[in-house]
Each structure stands twice: as structure tokens, then as C-alpha cells.
């Protein structure tokens, strides 16, 4: 059997990190077995679809390296791969189920259906629809429609027996048919619902293994009913544990949700990761909010500058384990070692801090040339000219302080034009224009103009001598120098900074601030 798996995101928002975990497991299973991974778009819910959300989903998959063999921008022999383009095909399947007596036209109003369910609950009966408003003939349909009712098509679920299927994660699953509610498969406007479209697509695309999140386990019996009614073969099933939210006060065991970001930010570690990423976005001029820019969405990691391999390494451990202890996997190893048999049943809590730790380790191990290639686009986007030699020098000087690619924006003083350097007013007031610092500026400029060679040891010795001659300590003097040439109080060591900038740029910056503040002689 050729292994064919699929992932079907809905373009109703940005790519959820839990969804990426499910897609990763599908991708790994297909790659391990030499099969195909299909990406299709579940856009049957036109009211919730967001047109601009599709491209970020596709871009996110490409960024992660989760390539698909068939689907959008790739094509394939089993398309179309967007459900919105297959309505006639779905409606034909609905007609087949109607013709076989496995579906029926229903004209109950939402209020009538709700009243039946409430009565059943009050009387402690199973919440099973009575089929009271079923239209068994064309005459029935005309009568109901004359009353102003709108009809939908529902699957006519069995009332006796058991639905039994094998799940690669959960073993043998048995569900009594008596508890399965008739489900709408075609709405009154002619559009079809997820369950019907899903069954038809899996058949049309020859999907061999349906690997999906456990919340879809409840859909499986009704989908089996429909696919068998249509004469389709059963795929194999594997329902993955859901990705749980981070530990938070009063919760932490529910499914991870992008809509609960405000509560997740009460978790100190989650907030730390969010704040770090938000700082990068702010420097890029992006207006991210916790609702749209947060660590629950893949776009967060792409924007901030995480390594795709680090994200995948963390995600593969959310519900899968090789031996209970090994955590570091290259993508090639994941493809070789992944198996459904080692997927756990229990939910795994999303730990933003742990993901960040994977990113830190991967970033430290990355060769300098690859780091330079990662960080350069961030400088360009922020409006700087990234001269390769300077970028390389700053990357090497920053070392492990560059935790994500966007952290290069902490060092823009090295890339800003000398006459466009932004000075922190508070830093200038405390370290340049106040006493005794104001009296040091001209002398310090002279030191930088005459020190030879212009390297770290020589500069340090010269500034130490300058400070001693004035009865000052080295630290405040060197801090004045730092603010003069960088505009801020933090960064690399002062003498490393001077050497990296070079004599000409240091003097130009001091001349610039002296011109603004007056001659500090």
C-alpha cells in the first residue's frame, strides 16, 4: 500500500502551532514510508474564511520545510485541492446517500431542534433527533417550503449496533450507534459540511492514513457511516493527543487556543518569550497584538527569526517519544525514526520556554556564515545597510547573545549612518552633558584621534590613563565614551565597540553630538 497522508487547514486565521504539530506527524509518516504528503484547503465554511490567511499558511509550511507532494501551488492528479472548488462533486455524493436512504431532507428550524434537545435533557433521555420534520417525498418538501422552512440534508445514522474501528494510537474503538446524532451534510444554501467533504476528499485523494487531532475522534463514526454508504474503502486512523495550554492559574489542561493568549501571558515564562518576540516586531515597525502575534501562532516564530529545525525538533516531542530521554533530533533523524506506535495518548503541555531553549542551542551551533544570512534580512527590513564584513563582525561579537535572528536589531548602532544615530536622551543627560562627563568629551575625542593602533588593549590603556589623570574611575569614563559613539548605555564592552566601529566613525559621532550640544571643552 502506498502511504498517502494529508493535512487540511482552514483559512480562518494564522497557522496554529498545534496544527503544525499534526501536519508534522503526517509529513514524517509519509516521508518515512516513501509516500506522499498532501496539503489541501478546508474552505467549505465561507463565512469564517479569511482570504488573506491562506498565503501565510502556505508561507509557514514552506518556511518550516514541510514540503507537500500535491496541493496549492504544486497541483497534482487528484485535485482540485481547495474544497470550495468541489461543490458539484460533494453534492453528487449527497444525492447518492439520499438515493440509498442513508440521508434525508430535514426541515426543522433551529429553535425546534433546540427545544427537542432541551426536552431530552430534562427527561434524561439521549439527545437524539426525532426526525419529526423529515421530508420523505417531494410533496413533503413542497409542503414544508410553502411554510417558509428551509431544508438541509442530514445523514440518517443507525440506531442499533456498534461502530468499531482500529486506531493506531488508541487501539480498538467501539462507539454505539444509538448515541450518534444525525448530522447535517448539506446546508440549506447547498453548501456542504466538513464531515461530508472530508470523506469525499480522502477518497478522491486516495488517502491511506488519516492522522489527525483527537478532537476529530468524535467525527470518525459518522464519517465511517458515510464512506461505507458511498462504497469507499476505510483509511487507517490515528488520533493524536491534543496540545495542551501552558500551565496557568486556574487551568493549564485544556487545548491550546490562540484566543486565550491573555490568560497565557499570566505564565511568566510564556510572557518572557512573548515579550522577546514583541520587541523584535516593534523594532521592525510591526503592529503585533497579543491576539494576532503570539507564541501560539507559527507566524510568531517566523517573524522573530527562529530556526525552523528548532521549532520542528520541539514539536515532534509534543505527543511522541523515541525512548523517553532523547530530545535532540535533526529533521533527517525524525523522518527515519518516527512511528505511530510511539505516539502517546496523553496531552502534552505547550512549553514556550522549552521551545526557546531548543532555539538557543540550535542558534549557538549554527555556523557564522549561516547566522549572517539569517540576520541580514532583518537589518534590511529595519532600513539599514548591512555591509557583510560588519554583519559578520557583530555576529561573532554577539556570540550566544544572538538567540533569534531578530536579536541583531539590538545592535543597530553599528549599522546606522553616523549622522542618523539615535541617542537616548536619558543616557546623554546622565553620561555626556552632566558633570563631570561634560568636561571629558573633548579630551576623550583627542584620545581616540591619537591612539595607535586602534585596538582593544591600546584603547583601554589610553582611556585608563585619561581617567587616572583626572582622578576619575574607568567605568564612568568608559560609559561616557559608549554613549558618545552608540547613543545608549548597554551593548558590547566599550573598547570592543570602539574597535568594531573604527576610529573614523567614532570621531564622526563625537563631532556630531558636540555640534548638537555645544563645545564641551
Amino acid at each position: 500500500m502506498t502511504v498517502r497522508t494529508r493535512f487540511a487547514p482552514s483559512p480562518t486565521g494564522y497557522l496554529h502551532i498545534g496544527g503544525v504539530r499534526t501536519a508534522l506527524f503526517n509529513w514524517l509518516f509519509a516521508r518515512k514510508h516513501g509516500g506522499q504528503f498532501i496539503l489541501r484547503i478546508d474552505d467549505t465554511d465561507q463565512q469564517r474564511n479569511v482570504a488573506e490567511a491562506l498565503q501565510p499558511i502556505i508561507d509557514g509550511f514552506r518556511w518550516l520545510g514541510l514540503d507537500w507532494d500535491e496541493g496549492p501551488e504544486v497541483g497534482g492528479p487528484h485535485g482540485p485541492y481547495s474544497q470550495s472548488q468541489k461543490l458539484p462533486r460533494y453534492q453528487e455524493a449527497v444525492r447518492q446517500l439520499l438515493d440509498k436512504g442513508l440521508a434525508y431532507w430535514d426541515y426543522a428550524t433551529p429553535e425546534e431542534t433546540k427545544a427537542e434537545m432541551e426536552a431530552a435533557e430534562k427527561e434524561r433521555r439521549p439527545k437524539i433527533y426525532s426526525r419529526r420534520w423529515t421530508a420523505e417525498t417531494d410533496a413533503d418538501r413542497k409542503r414544508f417550503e410553502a411554510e417558509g422552512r428551509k431544508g438541509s440534508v442530514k445523514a440518517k445514522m443507525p440506531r442499533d449496533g456498534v461502530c468499531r474501528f482500529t486506531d493506531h494510537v488508541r487501539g480498538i474503538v467501539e462507539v454505539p450507534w444509538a448515541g450518534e446524532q444525525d448530522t447535517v451534510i448539506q446546508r440549506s444554501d447547498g453548501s456542504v459540511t466538513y464531515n461530508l467533504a472530508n470523506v469525499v476528499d480522502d477518497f478522491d485523494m486516495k488517502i491511506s492514513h488519516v492522522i489527525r487531532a483527537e478532537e476529530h475522534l468524535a467525527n470518525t463514526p459518522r464519517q465511517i457511516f458515510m464512506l461505507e454508504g458511498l462504497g469507499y474503502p476505510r483509511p487507517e486512523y490515528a488520533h493524536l493527543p491534543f496540545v495542551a495550554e501552558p500551565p496557568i492559574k486556574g487551568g493549564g489542561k485544556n487545548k491550546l487556543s490562540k484566543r486565550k493568549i491573555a490568560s497565557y501571558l499570566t505564565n511568566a515564562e510564556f510572557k518572557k518569550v512573548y515579550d522577546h518576540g514583541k520587541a523584535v516586531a516593534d523594532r521592525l515597525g510591526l503592529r503585533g497584538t497579543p491576539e494576532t502575534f503570539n507564541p501560539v501562532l507559527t507566524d510568531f516564530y517566523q517573524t522573530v527569526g527562529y530556526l525552523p529545525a528548532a521549532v520542528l525538533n520541539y514539536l515532534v516531542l509534543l505527543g511522541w517519544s523515541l525512548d523517553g530521554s532523547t530530545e535532540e533530533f535533526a529533521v533527517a533523524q525524525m523522518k527515519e525514526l518516527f512511528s505511530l506506535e510511539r505516539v502517546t495518548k496523553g496531552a502534552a503541555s505547550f512549553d514556550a520556554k522549552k521551545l526557546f531553549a531548543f532555539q538557543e542551542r540550535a542558534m549557538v551551533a549554527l555556523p557564522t556564515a549561516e547566522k549572517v544570512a539569517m540576520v541580514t534580512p532583518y537589518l534590511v527590513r529595519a532600513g539599514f545597510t548591512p555591509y557583510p564584513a560588519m554583519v559578520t563582525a557583530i555576529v561573532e561579537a554577539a556570540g550566544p547573545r544572538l538567540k533569534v535572528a531578530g536579536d541583531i536589531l539590538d545592535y543597530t548602532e553599528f549599522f546606522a549612518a553616523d549622522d542618523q544615530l539615535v541617542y537616548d536622551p536619558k543616557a546623554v543627560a546622565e553620561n555626556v552633558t552632566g558633570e563631570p562627563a561634560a568636561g571629558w568629551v573633548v579630551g576623550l575625542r583627542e584620545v581616540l584621534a591619537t591612539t595607535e593602533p586602534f585596538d582593544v588593549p591600546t584603547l583601554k590603556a589610553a582611556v585608563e590613563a585619561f581617567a587616572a589623570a583626572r582622578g576619575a574611575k574607568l567605568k564612568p569614563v568608559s560609559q561616557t565614551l559608549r554613549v558618545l559613539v552608540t547613543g545608549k548605555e548597554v551593548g558590547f564592552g566599550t573598547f570592543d565597540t570602539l574597535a568594531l566601529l573604527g576610529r573614523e566613525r567614532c570621531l564622526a559621532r563625537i563631532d556630531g553630538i558636540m555640534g548638537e550640544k555645544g563645545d564641551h571643552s
Side-chain angles (χ1 to χ4, degrees):
M1 177 178 61
T2 299
V3 169
R4 289 175 61 84
T5 65
R6 50 75 167 172
F7 182 68
S10 298
T12 56
Y14 289 98
L15 196 57
H16 190 286
I17 202 76
V20 173
R21 191 285 309 264
T22 298
L24 173 62
F25 283 18
N26 275 276
W27 185 80
L28 290 174
F29 188 77
R31 294 291 174 259
K32 178 176 180 177
H33 294 282
Q36 291 90 45
F37 171 65
I38 292 87
L39 180 64
R40 72 178 188 231
I41 306 303
D42 178 2
D43 55 356
T44 55
D45 190 345
Q46 292 299 312
Q47 292 184 344
R48 295 182 61 231
N49 290 338
V50 181
E52 60 270 21
L54 177 56
Q55 195 59 48
I57 289 173
I58 291 174
D59 292 344
F61 274 95
R62 292 206 184 282
W63 172 69
L64 288 164
L66 298 182
D67 56 322
W68 54 100
D69 301 288
E70 298 174 27
E73 299 185 356
V74 173
H78 305 290
Y81 295 94
S82 292
Q83 292 180 337
S84 59
Q85 299 175 27
K86 295 184 65 174
L87 183 57
R89 170 73 178 99
Y90 300 140
Q91 290 176 332
E92 175 56 32
V94 172
R95 282 192 289 272
Q96 291 179 43
L97 292 172
L98 284 167
D99 291 344
K100 293 181 178 182
L102 301 175
Y104 61 92
W105 282 96
D106 180 66
Y107 284 85
T109 65
E111 293 76 17
E112 289 164 343
T113 303
K114 181 182 178 182
E116 277 207 357
M117 297 304 103
E118 289 176 348
E121 182 176 11
K122 185 177 180 179
E123 297 167 13
R124 298 184 179 180
R125 295 185 283 106
K127 295 181 181 180
I128 301 299
Y129 175 50
S130 67
R131 299 174 183 164
R132 176 181 170 186
W133 290 275
T134 300
E136 297 181 353
T137 66
D138 288 342
D140 290 338
R141 291 189 63 190
K142 290 178 180 178
R143 176 170 54 83
F144 281 131
E145 288 171 4
E147 296 175 7
R149 294 175 180 269
K150 293 182 178 180
S152 62
V153 179
K154 289 184 176 180
K156 193 174 185 178
M157 303 302 291
R159 292 290 186 249
D160 301 311
V162 173
C163 176
R164 181 181 291 104
F165 60 94
T166 300
D167 187 287
H168 280 270
V169 176
R170 297 165 197 285
I172 302 296
V173 179
E174 294 186 343
V175 180
W177 285 120
E180 289 299 303
Q181 186 68 265
D182 292 351
T183 183
V184 173
I185 58 175
Q186 181 175 299
R187 303 180 185 94
S188 59
D189 63 1
S191 64
V192 299
T193 58
Y194 164 81
N195 280 304
L196 185 283
N198 184 79
V199 165
V200 173
D201 284 344
D202 283 347
F203 172 72
D204 287 352
M205 297 174 190
K206 301 185 185 303
I207 301 302
S208 64
H209 292 74
V210 173
I211 304 170
R212 57 190 180 185
E214 70 175 287
E215 58 260 34
H216 292 292
L217 189 61
N219 292 322
T220 306
R222 64 199 67 166
Q223 290 176 2
I224 287 176
F225 170 76
M226 283 185 273
L227 69 86
E228 291 186 343
L230 292 165
Y232 301 165
R234 281 194 195 186
E236 297 191 41
Y237 294 99
H239 288 90
L240 312 175
F242 67 79
V243 177
E245 60 192 7
I248 55 175
K249 186 177 180 180
K253 295 182 180 179
N254 299 313
K255 180 184 173 184
L256 186 69
S257 170
K258 64 184 179 183
R259 296 178 181 84
K260 295 179 65 176
I261 178 65
S263 62
Y264 299 161
L265 290 174
T266 62
N267 178 293
E269 298 298 342
F270 187 95
K271 187 175 187 304
K272 188 182 298 183
V273 171
Y274 169 78
D275 287 343
H276 185 190
K278 185 64 164 54
V280 172
D282 289 344
R283 293 187 186 105
L284 290 172
L286 302 177
R287 292 186 175 182
T289 66
E291 289 72 30
T292 61
F293 183 74
N294 70 72
V296 175
L297 302 173
T298 309
D299 182 66
F300 176 92
Y301 302 98
Q302 186 176 359
T303 299
V304 170
Y306 278 59
L307 285 159
V311 176
L312 295 179
N313 192 165
Y314 174 70
L315 290 181
V316 79
L317 298 173
L318 287 179
W320 177 84
S321 172
L322 178 65
D323 53 21
S325 59
T326 306
E327 290 194 330
E328 301 284 344
F329 296 98
V331 176
Q333 291 175 304
M334 295 182 212
K335 290 191 284 187
E336 177 186 351
L337 298 171
F338 181 80
S339 69
L340 291 174
E341 287 68 32
R342 300 202 66 81
V343 174
T344 62
K345 294 181 181 179
S349 179
F350 179 73
D351 187 338
K353 178 185 178 183
K354 188 171 184 179
L355 171 50
F356 189 74
F358 275 93
Q359 166 62 23
E360 283 187 283
R361 292 194 293 271
M363 197 71 169
V364 167
L366 199 67
T368 296
E370 293 183 38
K371 285 185 186 178
V372 169
M374 274 189 73
V375 305
T376 297
Y378 285 81
L379 292 166
V380 173
R381 189 169 183 179
F384 298 100
T385 302
Y387 297 104
M390 178 59 79
V391 179
T392 300
I394 300 308
V395 164
E396 291 176 340
R401 283 174 282 194
L402 276 181
K403 302 180 187 304
V404 299
D407 285 343
I408 193 68
L409 300 178
D410 287 339
Y411 307 104
T412 54
E413 64 268 23
F414 293 98
F415 305 100
D418 297 332
D419 59 353
Q420 295 179 343
L421 183 67
V422 177
Y423 285 86
D424 177 356
K426 182 173 181 291
V428 171
E430 293 180 354
N431 299 279
V432 175
T433 58
E435 293 298 336
W440 299 338
V441 175
V442 172
L444 286 172
R445 187 196 186 285
E446 181 65 20
V447 168
L448 299 189
T450 57
T451 297
E452 190 67 41
F454 201 82
D455 59 23
V456 173
T458 311
L459 286 165
K460 183 178 181 182
V463 174
E464 284 177 336
F466 175 90
R470 287 157 179 76
K473 293 183 178 180
L474 177 61
K475 184 175 180 179
V477 174
S478 65
Q479 191 71 339
T480 294
L481 259 179
R482 180 200 297 281
V483 175
L484 282 170
V485 299
T486 69
K488 61 184 187 180
E489 295 178 305
V490 296
F492 301 142
T494 298
F495 304 107
D496 296 285
T497 299
L498 295 172
L500 283 166
L501 283 168
R503 189 196 315 272
E504 183 177 335
R505 297 189 71 191
C506 289
L507 295 178
R509 291 181 174 191
I510 294 176
D511 289 344
I513 196 170
M514 287 174 66
E516 289 182 11
K517 304 299 180 183
D519 187 345
H520 296 290
S521 58

